[in-house]
PDB file of all heavy atoms in Angstrom:
ATOM      1  N   VAL A 292     223.557 136.877  64.979  1.00 93.00           N
ATOM      2  CA  VAL A 292     223.097 135.751  64.169  1.00 93.00           C
ATOM      3  C   VAL A 292     224.191 134.692  64.061  1.00 93.00           C
ATOM      4  O   VAL A 292     223.934 133.488  64.138  1.00 93.00           O
ATOM      5  CB  VAL A 292     222.670 136.239  62.773  1.00 93.00           C
ATOM      6  CG1 VAL A 292     222.288 135.062  61.880  1.00 93.00           C
ATOM      7  CG2 VAL A 292     221.507 137.211  62.878  1.00 93.00           C
ATOM      8  N   MET A 375     282.668 129.218  58.546  1.00 78.00           N
ATOM      9  CA  MET A 375     283.159 129.594  59.858  1.00 78.00           C
ATOM     10  C   MET A 375     284.557 130.196  59.800  1.00 78.00           C
ATOM     11  O   MET A 375     284.855 131.181  60.481  1.00 78.00           O
ATOM     12  CB  MET A 375     283.146 128.378  60.786  1.00 78.00           C
ATOM     13  CG  MET A 375     281.745 127.878  61.117  1.00 78.00           C
ATOM     14  SD  MET A 375     280.749 129.134  61.957  1.00 78.00           S
ATOM     15  CE  MET A 375     281.684 129.336  63.468  1.00 78.00           C
ATOM     16  N   THR A 416     240.960 137.626  59.847  1.00 89.00           N
ATOM     17  CA  THR A 416     241.283 137.382  58.447  1.00 89.00           C
ATOM     18  C   THR A 416     241.693 135.926  58.304  1.00 89.00           C
ATOM     19  O   THR A 416     241.943 135.234  59.298  1.00 89.00           O
ATOM     20  CB  THR A 416     242.404 138.319  57.971  1.00 89.00           C
ATOM     21  OG1 THR A 416     242.596 138.150  56.570  1.00 89.00           O
ATOM     22  CG2 THR A 416     243.712 138.034  58.690  1.00 89.00           C
ATOM     23  N   PRO A 447     279.585 150.794  51.331  1.00 94.00           N
ATOM     24  CA  PRO A 447     279.120 151.706  50.285  1.00 94.00           C
ATOM     25  C   PRO A 447     280.276 152.418  49.589  1.00 94.00           C
ATOM     26  O   PRO A 447     281.380 152.571  50.131  1.00 94.00           O
ATOM     27  CB  PRO A 447     278.239 152.694  51.041  1.00 94.00           C
ATOM     28  CG  PRO A 447     277.812 151.959  52.255  1.00 94.00           C
ATOM     29  CD  PRO A 447     278.931 151.061  52.620  1.00 94.00           C
ATOM     30  N   PHE A 461     267.345 158.148  57.877  1.00 98.00           N
ATOM     31  CA  PHE A 461     266.548 156.991  58.299  1.00 98.00           C
ATOM     32  C   PHE A 461     265.896 157.251  59.653  1.00 98.00           C
ATOM     33  O   PHE A 461     264.702 157.002  59.851  1.00 98.00           O
ATOM     34  CB  PHE A 461     267.438 155.748  58.366  1.00 98.00           C
ATOM     35  CG  PHE A 461     266.732 154.518  58.864  1.00 98.00           C
ATOM     36  CD1 PHE A 461     266.053 153.685  57.996  1.00 98.00           C
ATOM     37  CD2 PHE A 461     266.755 154.179  60.214  1.00 98.00           C
ATOM     38  CE1 PHE A 461     265.399 152.539  58.446  1.00 98.00           C
ATOM     39  CE2 PHE A 461     266.102 153.049  60.680  1.00 98.00           C
ATOM     40  CZ  PHE A 461     265.420 152.236  59.795  1.00 98.00           C
ATOM     41  N   ILE A 463     265.282 160.133  61.075  1.00 98.00           N
ATOM     42  CA  ILE A 463     264.276 161.202  60.946  1.00 98.00           C
ATOM     43  C   ILE A 463     262.961 160.640  60.418  1.00 98.00           C
ATOM     44  O   ILE A 463     261.878 160.959  60.924  1.00 98.00           O
ATOM     45  CB  ILE A 463     264.809 162.326  60.029  1.00 98.00           C
ATOM     46  CG1 ILE A 463     265.966 163.060  60.709  1.00 98.00           C
ATOM     47  CG2 ILE A 463     263.690 163.298  59.666  1.00 98.00           C
ATOM     48  CD1 ILE A 463     266.645 164.091  59.826  1.00 98.00           C
TER      49      ILE A 463
END
Side-chain angles (χ1 to χ4, degrees):
V292 176
M375 293 299 296
T416 186
F461 177 88
I463 292 174

